[in-house]
Amino acid sequence: MAPYLTKGGSPPIGAQKANLDPLTHNIITEFGNEEIGHLRAIDTVMGSIPRPLLNLTSENIGKIFDAAFGHKLEPPFDPYKDSLSYILSCYIIPYVGMNGMLV
């Protein structure tokens, strides 16, 4: 949507198209537009850095959910499976990204 904001950073590993219903797809699109606005503002005011490498594989995000629940989930958590799973994974990414769990 705004590739110049990556500043030449690496593309994420393992990202997939999620199985979203139309309403959730529209909501996620709005989330994306909002984040683009945040990144543009940061870049304009302070400058920005290249996007860090993110591991967005189902397995890696599943490990984060396992840690949150304190045990291995069965079946494993799949953020791309459906709308609810995707929304849940979108919520955690800003928080775990700050501490490096997505690399």
Side-chain angles (χ1 to χ4, degrees):
M1 294 168 71
Y4 70 93
L5 290 171
T6 65
K7 301 292 184 187
S10 302
I13 298 168
Q16 301 175 38
K17 182 175 171 121
N19 183 25
L20 303 178
D21 60 70
L23 175 62
T24 304
H25 182 272
N26 289 341
I27 292 168
I28 294 300
T29 299
E30 288 300 318
F31 285 173
N33 289 331
E34 185 177 276
E35 289 305 314
I36 288 170
H38 293 157
L39 291 172
R40 282 182 180 149
I42 291 168
D43 189 47
T44 299
V45 173
M46 302 175 5
S48 57
I49 61 171
R51 175 180 53 203
L53 179 61
L54 300 174
N55 181 345
L56 300 177
T57 60
S58 295
E59 297 79 16
N60 197 49
I61 294 174
K63 289 177 189 176
I64 295 166
F65 276 82
D66 290 346
F69 281 90
H71 62 87
K72 188 167 176 53
L73 298 176
E74 262 320 310
F77 182 81
D78 179 0
Y80 305 106
K81 180 178 87 171
D82 56 31
S83 294
L84 178 59
S85 298
Y86 194 76
I87 291 281
L88 290 169
S89 64
C90 287
Y91 180 76
I92 66 158
I93 286 174
Y95 301 103
V96 297
M98 286 187 274
N99 65 31
M101 286 187 72
L102 289 178
V103 290

